[in-house]
Amino acid sequence: MLTSMTSERVPDLVQVTDRREVTSGLRRQLIDCWIAVTNAGGAAGFPFPPVQDGDVAPVMDRILDRLHPDRSRLITARFGDALAGWVVLNRDPYRLVEHWGTVNHLQTRTEFRGQGVGSALMRELRRTARDELDLEQLHLAARGGEGLEKFYGALGWREVGRWPGALRLAPDDDRDEVLMLLDRL
């Protein structure tokens, strides 16, 4: 266990590169995590809670079907048997932009927030992108108004643009989509 001022525990990080590596139990935990994070207000891909299994399971299956050692990785964080969070790294298959990757769906179950899970996932994702996929930069889009710019900024990311008011969460709740870059892997 890592001891620091915040007493953060270090999760076990596991990379998945093929759908066949995903057990039915892991699939269930990934779906349950996504439902819990979304329904708690998390900005993890479904903007309109509440969501249910029928909303999330088909999208999860599409993510899992795209896993491939050269193009798409799922990284999970666990404490023992409990899935604490996960993130997806995708490489674009087109030569023009094959040197960069896109980060999607970073999420941490609410009961594990504040324990360094998201940061650990992003550090592992960065290492994977650099050392295993030979990527030179990473991109992501984050929902404005959630404090995510500060979180990613502390991990070396920088804001490179915004789509003002691009996300309409409710009639009086438009948010910017914040475009972020990590170009020193």
Side-chain angles (χ1 to χ4, degrees), residues 130-149:
R130 181 190 61 231
D131 297 347
E132 296 178 26
L133 295 174
D134 294 321
L135 296 174
E136 296 173 22
Q137 56 183 291
L138 297 173
H139 301 215
L140 65 80
R143 184 187 303 170
E146 302 288 338
L148 298 172
E149 302 95 341

Side-chain angles (χ1 to χ4, degrees), residues 49-113:
V51 295
Q52 304 169 53
D53 193 78
D55 303 310
V56 176
V59 180
M60 176 55 67
D61 287 336
R62 284 193 296 276
I63 290 170
L64 297 176
D65 287 343
R66 286 192 301 260
L67 292 176
H68 186 279
D70 296 329
R71 292 186 308 275
S72 184
R73 310 274 179 108
L74 167 71
I75 302 172
T76 63
R78 306 182 75 79
F79 290 112
D81 292 334
L83 180 72
W86 58 276
V87 66
V88 175
L89 171 62
N90 291 302
R91 161 187 257 143
D92 200 297
Y94 300 103
R95 275 185 48 210
L96 184 64
V97 290
E98 70 182 358
H99 61 286
W100 58 271
T102 303
V103 179
N104 296 106
H105 307 298
L106 174 66
Q107 51 194 290
T108 303
R109 287 191 70 106
T110 56
E111 61 268 31
F112 294 104
R113 293 218 176 124

Side-chain angles (χ1 to χ4, degrees), residues 149-160:
E149 302 95 341
K150 183 177 178 182
F151 168 78
Y152 290 117
L155 294 169
W157 291 75
R158 63 186 166 94
E159 182 178 328
V160 293

Side-chain angles (χ1 to χ4, degrees), residues 2-15:
L2 176 67
T3 308
S4 68
M5 291 177 57
T6 59
S7 298
E8 289 182 357
R9 297 185 301 164
V10 178
D12 294 320
L13 302 171
V14 176
Q15 196 177 137

